[in-house]
């Protein structure tokens, strides 16, 4: 073993090198070449010079002390400080061994250059080997590419520093002490130039990255991918461990908490800071920065407890409202921290991000509004059609796609009586009940003003019908709005795919037809059948033909007798319109009356029947047959304020006493829960015209309410009269109607009298007048006259004007 002749010494020069090591370890220079950033330290320069001017032990000592002081100043963690110190000591020791083994160095000769370069290279390789070893131990074996990416920049920087160190050595060796001043001046110019370059580089890089980021934000589609584009770039821009976007619950938007974390692919739903920081931003609407260079002590304590050394949280604002915050935490590197420049940078990014978020939500709201009803919040026709399109495409075997269409009855009366605000409340409540009662797999939507739809997959049509009936019962419960209680009913049409159609338009159209038909069905639930569609198409084609038939007097009026049940005397007739179409044959009154209502021809049809009835009434009056005529009125006619004046004109034109004319109005037309028909009813009563409530018992009104109306007659619906002989319940209903009506001074007419047993029961309970096939079907005028002559016989001369019906065998 050979000892160094002077292992230690030169402490004055050693102190100078100590200062150089501290300075070189504290300064990190950043350069960018072709958009690639490189960090450069200058430690190799004083190390090379120290190998030439200092003894080995002195060099190792000042190298280690300089490293410790520099790392302590930068607040390097103890474990890392110990590792770095050991690595620097080992590298310096091996370098000194190499220099000692090469023998004495003779000036700045080429041999000296090679020895010193090799020694510096040994030092760099030892340090690099230590770093790679730690990475391999902690994270596993690294690939050749990653090793090259880690080693090559360090070796290149070491080579540059070694070259600079050799140049300094040559200058000092040749120029003596005075050359130090030249080197100092050169270093000063270098520092000034580097600072200017570094500032320009930082500004250029920052502006370039902000431009790229804002362009990426602007180009991001409004499909929820903004956090993916934003957070990764923000984290890289600010060199943070976490970049977090947080937006609390706002209206129908759920809470969002997403972070881009270093070394993670994709986003995670955790943050690197406590919730206190974000809540402070939301409450104050101001930027909150916490770290070594700013922030209050309380927040810094919370931050340290979460494991982050610093953080910046900036509010995202939409106008004056704070909709969330953008946050970065944990500046990468043990020696670096966020500063005021980073705060301004993140605020600039947050301003662009807030605009992007608000635009994204605006587009989302527009899309939502385009597919949803503004009043109820339910999907609208467009959304329902799209959902049905998808459902019928992917239907599974053994199931059907059911469409249940709910038509709210009486909404028009609510709007007209209580205002549209009350009508809107009814619709909102219907929507709420449907949404609450429908299965979770069903889609509940609103098609139009008073139509709602429920679509879902079901086992079969019977299951869909059962569900429709159940939901209808849920809607029928009383609706209470303040002091007002409403009973709202619905008619339900049901269709299923594939039985009733294969496309959304057809299914919805046929569901509408079924709902219309359901309004006249017991239970108000109707499954579609082809007959409904053919009838609807037929009605549509009859509109033009009905207009021509009315213009050409092609409609005929039939008369059905009304007979006193006690002595079977003919007291009047009901006028019924009949239409024999040249192509379709006999058209059902229900069909052409519906066509007249929907095409604005109802008033003309009513007047045609009224004129014919008054004409025949006048003729009977001339022959001393005092028969009254009854004409059916639609509820829509009662809304015409000019109708009573027209009735008065026609009564005068035909010379018929008003008491000979009776207007029959269906129960729902008179008792619609509003006062809308009252003015017309009172004016008709003032004319002396009799008023009758037709089909009484099929609605939900009471006889006590009838007492307040200007009516003279009640016609019991045929469904109760025909069931009297077999159903005690029907008999009880008819008996109650007759008894109470008589107490109120109202005449009772029983419709649908078709058997002698029914006739006897009606006589027993005191009903006065009957009408039905037992007496006669509706007949044209000529056949009615023949029937009348055949069914009557003159009595004594004293009462020759009275003609009675013979008993029907």
């Amino acid at each position: 073993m050979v000892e160094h002749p002077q292992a230690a010494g030169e402490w004055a020069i050693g102190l100078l090198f100590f200062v150089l090591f501290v300075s070189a370890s504290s300064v990190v220079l950043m350069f960018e070449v072709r958009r690639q950033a490189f960090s450069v330290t200058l430690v190799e320069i004083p190390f090379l010079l120290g190998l030439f001017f200092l003894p080995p032990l002195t060099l190792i000592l000042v190298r280690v002390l300089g490293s410790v002081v520099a790392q302590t100043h930068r607040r390097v963690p103890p474990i890392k400080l110990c590792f770095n110190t050991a690595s620097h000591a080992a590298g310096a020791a091996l370098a000194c061994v190499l220099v000692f083994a090469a023998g004495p160095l003779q000036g700045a000769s080429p041999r000296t250059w090679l020895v010193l370069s090799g020694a510096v290279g040994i030092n760099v390789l030892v340090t690099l080997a230590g770093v790679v070893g730690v990475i391999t131990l902690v994270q596993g074996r690294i690939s050749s590419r990653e090793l090259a990416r880690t080693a090559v920049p360090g070796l290149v920087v070491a080579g540059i520093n070694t070259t600079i160190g050799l140049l300094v050595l040559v200058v000092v060796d040749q120029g003596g002490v005075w050359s130090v001043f030249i080197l100092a001046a050169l270093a000063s110019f270098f520092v000034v130039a580097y600072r200017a370059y570094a500032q320009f580089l930082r500004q250029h890089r920052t502006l370039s990255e902000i431009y790229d980021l804002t362009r990426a934000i602007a180009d991001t589609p409004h499909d929820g991918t903004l956090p993916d584009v934003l957070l990764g770039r923000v984290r890289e821009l600010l060199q943070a461990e976490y970049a977090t976007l947080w937006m609390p619950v706002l209206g129908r938007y759920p809470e969002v908490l997403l972070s881009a974390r270093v070394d993670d692919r994709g986003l995670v739903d955790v943050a690197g800071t406590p919730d206190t920081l974000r809540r402070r931003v939301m409450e104050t609407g101001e930027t909150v920065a916490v770290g070594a260079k700013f922030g209050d002590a309380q927040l810094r304590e919370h931050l340290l407890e979460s494991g982050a050394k610093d953080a910046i949280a900036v509010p995202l604002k939409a106008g004056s409202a704070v909709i969330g915050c953008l946050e970065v935490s944990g500046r990468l590197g043990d020696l670096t921290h966020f500063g005021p420049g980073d705060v301004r940078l993140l605020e600039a990014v947050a301003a662009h991000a807030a605009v992007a978020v608000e635009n994204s939500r605006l587009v989302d709201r527009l899309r939502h509004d385009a597919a949803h009803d503004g009043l109820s919040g339910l999907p609208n026709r467009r959304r329902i059609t799209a959902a049905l399109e998808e459902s019928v495409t992917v239907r599974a075997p053994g199931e059907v796609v059911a469409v249940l269409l709910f038509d709210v009855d009486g909404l028009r009366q609510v709007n007209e009586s209580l205002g549209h605000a009350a009508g809107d409340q009814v619709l909102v409540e219907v929507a709420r009940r449907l949404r609450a009662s429908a299965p979770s797999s069903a889609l509940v939507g609103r098609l139009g003003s008073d139509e709602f739809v429920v679509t879902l997959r079901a086992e079969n049509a019977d299951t869909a019908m059962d569900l429709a009936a159940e939901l209808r019962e849920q809607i029928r419960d009383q609706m209470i709005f303040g002091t007002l209680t409403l009973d709202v009913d619905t008619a339900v049409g049901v269709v299923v795919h594939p039985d009733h159609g294969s496309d959304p338009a057809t299914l919805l159209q046929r569901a509408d037809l079924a709902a219309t038909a359901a309004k006249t069905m017991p239970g108000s639930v109707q499954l579609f059948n082809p007959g409904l569609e053919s009838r609807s198409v037929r009605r549509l084609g009859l509109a033009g033909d009905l207009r021509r038939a009315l213009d050409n007097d092609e409609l005929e009026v039939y008369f059905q007798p009304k007979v006193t049940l006690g002595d079977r005397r003919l007291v009047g007739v009901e006028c019924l319109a009949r239409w024999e179409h040249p192509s379709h044959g006999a058209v059902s009154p229900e069909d052409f009356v519906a066509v007249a209502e929907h095409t604005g021809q109802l008033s003309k049809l009513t007047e045609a029947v009224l004129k014919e009835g008054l004409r025949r009434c006048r003729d009977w009056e001339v022959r001393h047959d005092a028969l009254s005529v009854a004409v059916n009125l639609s509820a829509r006619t009662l809304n015409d304020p000019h109708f009573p004046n027209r009735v008065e004109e026609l009564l005068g034109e035909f010379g018929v006493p008003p008491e000979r004319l009776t207007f029959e109005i269906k129960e729902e037309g008179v008792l619609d829960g509003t006062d809308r028909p009252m003015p017309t009813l009172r004016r008709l009563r003032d004319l002396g015209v009799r008023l009758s409530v037709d089909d009484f018992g099929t609605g939900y009104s009471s006889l006590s309410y009838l007492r307040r109306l200007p009516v003279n007659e009640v016609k019991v619906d045929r469904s109760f009269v025909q069931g009297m002989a077999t159903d005690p319940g029907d008999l009880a209903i008819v008996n109650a109607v007759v008894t109470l009506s008589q107490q109120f001074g109202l005449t009772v007419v029983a419709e649908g009298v078709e058997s002698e047993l029914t006739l006897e029961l009606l006589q027993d309970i005191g009903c006065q007048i009957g009408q039905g096939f037992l007496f006669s079907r509706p007949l044209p005028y000529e056949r009615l006259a023949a029937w009348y002559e055949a069914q009557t016989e003159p009595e004594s001369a004293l009462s020759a004007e009275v003609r009675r019906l013979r008993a029907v065998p």
Side-chain angles (χ1 to χ4, degrees):
M1 179 176 179
V2 181
E3 295 184 0
H4 195 284
Q6 187 181 359
E10 304 292 344
W11 296 111
I13 300 176
L15 181 60
L16 173 62
F17 273 91
F18 171 74
V19 174
L20 291 177
F21 276 119
V22 172
S23 302
S25 299
S26 302
V27 176
V28 179
L29 307 181
M30 298 295 299
F31 293 93
E32 184 173 331
V33 179
R34 294 184 178 180
R35 300 182 66 82
Q36 297 296 323
F38 296 94
S39 61
V40 177
T41 60
L42 306 177
V43 176
E44 288 83 2
I45 297 175
F47 185 72
L48 184 144
L49 297 174
L51 288 171
F52 185 82
F53 290 107
L54 292 177
L57 291 180
T58 304
L59 175 61
I60 295 172
L61 182 61
V62 297
R63 174 73 178 98
V64 170
L65 290 177
S67 174
V68 170
V69 171
Q71 292 182 83
T72 303
H73 176 71
R74 296 198 305 263
R75 298 180 181 178
V76 175
I79 295 178
K80 189 173 182 180
L81 187 148
C82 294
F83 169 78
N84 290 338
T85 302
S87 175
H88 295 159
L94 288 176
C96 289
V97 169
L98 177 61
V99 173
F100 174 73
L105 300 178
Q106 302 296 329
S109 63
R111 177 178 175 277
T112 301
W113 300 350
L114 292 175
V115 173
L116 294 179
S117 298
V120 172
I122 288 292
N123 175 66
V124 172
L125 290 175
V126 170
T127 303
L128 181 61
V131 172
V132 172
V134 170
I135 294 176
T136 303
L137 182 64
V138 175
Q139 300 182 1
R141 181 180 178 183
I142 62 176
S143 64
S144 301
R145 177 177 298 180
E146 292 178 343
L147 179 60
R149 187 181 303 169
T150 303
V152 170
L155 294 175
V156 170
V157 170
I160 295 173
N161 288 341
T162 300
T163 304
I164 296 174
L166 292 174
L167 291 174
V168 173
L169 177 62
V170 171
V171 172
V172 172
D173 184 62
Q174 298 295 327
V177 178
W178 298 104
S179 62
V180 175
F181 295 100
I182 298 176
L183 292 175
L186 180 62
S188 300
F189 285 122
F190 173 77
V191 170
V192 172
Y194 172 76
R195 286 183 175 178
Y197 166 78
Q199 183 178 4
F200 168 77
L201 184 64
R202 284 195 300 269
Q203 292 177 347
H204 172 73
R205 185 172 64 251
T206 301
L207 290 175
S208 178
E209 290 177 348
I210 289 179
Y211 172 75
D212 292 341
L213 177 59
T214 55
R215 186 173 61 179
I217 292 174
D219 294 340
T220 302
H222 302 291
D223 56 359
T225 60
L226 177 63
D228 300 86
V229 176
L230 174 67
L231 295 178
R233 290 174 177 263
V234 169
R235 193 200 63 75
E236 293 178 359
L237 177 63
L238 291 170
Q239 289 296 294
E241 183 179 359
Y242 282 88
T244 303
L245 175 66
W246 177 66
M247 290 183 290
V249 176
L250 180 62
R252 63 183 183 85
Y253 297 106
E255 181 182 14
V256 175
L257 178 63
L258 294 171
S259 297
R261 185 168 59 183
V262 65
D263 297 332
D264 280 339
R265 293 182 178 180
L267 302 181
V268 295
D269 57 354
V270 296
T273 60
D275 188 60
T276 309
L277 193 68
R278 292 179 288 279
R279 296 295 177 185
R280 175 77 65 88
V281 173
M282 290 296 298
E283 292 172 1
T284 63
E286 301 292 338
T287 299
V288 176
V290 185
K293 301 181 180 180
F294 33 53
D296 59 50
Q298 183 179 5
L299 281 179
R300 188 179 298 111
E301 182 179 347
H302 285 296
L303 193 65
L304 292 175
E305 290 176 357
S306 67
K309 65 178 181 179
D310 48 10
I312 305 172
V314 179
L316 299 177
K317 293 185 177 181
S320 59
V322 180
I323 61 175
C325 76
L326 182 63
E327 170 193 304
V328 291
S329 62
R331 184 67 178 265
L332 294 178
D334 300 321
L335 312 178
T336 54
H337 300 273
F338 294 125
D342 297 314
V343 174
R344 293 190 294 270
L345 179 58
L346 188 59
E347 287 177 339
V349 173
H352 291 284
V355 172
V357 170
E358 186 63 15
N359 289 341
S360 177
R361 287 187 169 181
L362 176 60
V363 171
D364 182 65
R365 283 196 298 269
L366 292 175
R367 288 175 178 168
H368 180 273
D369 293 344
H372 290 77
D373 171 55
L375 176 64
S376 64
L378 297 177
N380 59 14
R381 180 181 292 270
R382 179 181 178 183
R383 174 72 181 89
I384 294 167
T385 302
L388 276 176
E389 185 73 40
E390 181 179 352
S391 297
V392 300
T393 302
V394 297
R395 183 182 67 89
E399 68 177 14
V400 298
V401 177
V403 179
L404 286 54
L405 192 148
F406 294 77
D407 191 326
V408 181
D409 291 339
L411 182 64
R412 179 178 177 183
Q413 288 84 347
V414 174
N415 287 334
E416 294 179 353
S417 304
L418 305 175
H420 287 276
D424 290 345
Q425 284 185 293
V426 170
L427 293 174
V428 170
E429 179 62 16
V430 170
R432 187 195 67 79
R433 292 185 179 184
L434 275 178
R435 191 160 37 195
S437 304
S440 58
S441 60
L443 175 66
V444 182
R446 182 186 177 199
L447 288 179
S449 60
D450 58 355
E451 291 183 339
F452 294 85
V453 69
V454 176
T455 175
L456 74 164
R457 301 180 186 277
E459 295 180 2
N460 48 50
D462 292 337
T463 305
M465 290 287 289
D466 293 341
L467 176 61
E470 179 183 343
L471 293 178
R472 178 176 174 270
E473 288 302 317
Q474 295 293 331
I475 299 175
R476 287 185 64 187
D477 288 345
Q478 288 185 338
M479 297 184 183
I480 301 176
F481 305 103
T483 59
L484 183 65
T485 302
L486 297 178
D487 291 319
V488 179
D489 201 0
T490 58
V492 191
V494 181
V495 297
V496 295
H497 166 78
D499 298 345
H500 302 142
S502 58
D503 62 275
T506 301
L507 290 172
L508 291 175
Q509 176 194 1
R510 291 176 174 175
D512 196 8
L513 290 174
T516 302
K519 295 179 180 180
T520 61
M521 297 290 296
S524 296
V525 179
Q526 174 67 49
L527 182 66
F528 173 81
N529 62 75
L532 298 176
E533 187 170 44
S534 60
R535 188 173 186 179
S536 176
V537 173
R538 184 185 180 193
R539 284 183 177 182
L540 184 62
L542 291 176
D545 297 337
L546 178 61
R547 183 176 290 104
R548 287 189 293 271
L550 290 172
D551 292 339
N552 299 328
D553 295 328
E554 295 177 1
L555 266 69
E556 190 174 0
V557 176
Y558 278 43
F559 304 90
Q560 184 171 25
K562 299 169 70 173
V563 177
T564 56
L565 300 181
D567 52 10
R568 303 194 182 190
R569 186 175 70 247
L570 179 67
V571 294
V573 293
E574 181 180 357
C575 302
L576 302 170
R578 295 293 184 265
W579 183 22
E580 188 73 21
H581 193 278
S583 301
H584 301 295
V587 180
S588 167
E590 182 182 356
D591 286 341
F592 68 75
V593 170
V595 171
E597 286 184 340
H598 287 88
T599 57
Q601 303 180 72
L602 183 61
S603 60
K604 195 170 185 179
L605 174 61
T606 302
E607 186 169 328
V609 176
L610 180 58
K611 284 183 177 180
E612 181 65 16
L614 293 177
R615 180 182 297 109
R616 299 309 178 184
C617 185
R618 180 188 59 188
D619 296 342
W620 291 322
E621 188 77 20
V622 171
R623 296 203 309 266
H624 304 290
D625 291 326
L627 299 179
S628 64
V629 294
V631 176
N632 290 290
L633 287 187
S634 168
R636 187 170 298 182
T637 304
L638 296 178
N639 295 329
D640 182 3
H642 305 292
F643 179 71
N645 295 334
R646 184 56 179 158
V647 172
E648 185 177 14
E649 293 174 2
L650 292 176
L651 287 172
E653 178 182 342
F654 290 97
V656 175
E659 62 271 13
R660 297 289 186 208
L661 175 62
T662 300
F663 284 123
E664 297 183 1
I665 307 103
K666 290 187 180 297
E667 180 182 357
E668 63 267 21
V670 180
L671 307 176
D672 62 353
T674 72
D675 292 332
R676 195 162 34 88
M678 294 303 294
T680 300
L681 292 175
R682 291 194 182 99
R683 290 184 62 193
L684 291 174
R685 180 197 60 186
D686 294 341
L687 290 177
V689 173
R690 289 174 56 84
L691 299 173
S692 174
V693 179
D694 197 8
D695 297 338
F696 189 81
T698 57
Y700 303 98
S701 304
S702 65
L703 282 168
S704 61
Y705 187 74
L706 272 178
R707 187 182 181 185
R708 298 188 303 230
L709 296 175
V711 297
N712 311 95
E713 180 181 281
V714 174
K715 295 186 73 174
V716 185
D717 186 70
R718 68 180 67 249
S719 62
F720 300 111
V721 175
Q722 292 173 349
M724 289 175 59
T726 57
D727 189 340
D730 288 342
L731 177 60
I733 291 174
V734 176
N735 188 19
V737 172
V738 171
T739 302
L740 291 177
S741 297
Q742 289 174 346
Q743 291 180 0
F744 294 152
L746 302 176
T747 303
V748 181
V749 179
E751 296 183 285
V753 182
E754 297 183 358
S755 69
E756 289 288 348
L757 179 57
T758 301
L759 177 62
E760 292 176 3
L761 291 173
L762 289 171
Q763 289 176 331
D764 291 342
I765 62 179
C767 183
Q768 303 103 323
I769 300 174
Q771 180 180 346
F773 290 173
L774 178 64
F775 308 114
S776 174
R777 295 176 179 273
L779 300 171
Y781 178 73
E782 293 78 9
R783 290 185 58 190
L784 176 67
W787 173 85
Y788 186 36
E789 292 292 338
Q791 297 295 324
T792 60
E793 58 184 4
E795 296 195 359
S796 65
L798 296 176
S799 58
E801 72 280 1
V802 178
R803 306 176 69 86
R804 301 180 184 275
L805 297 177
R806 289 209 287 280
V808 179

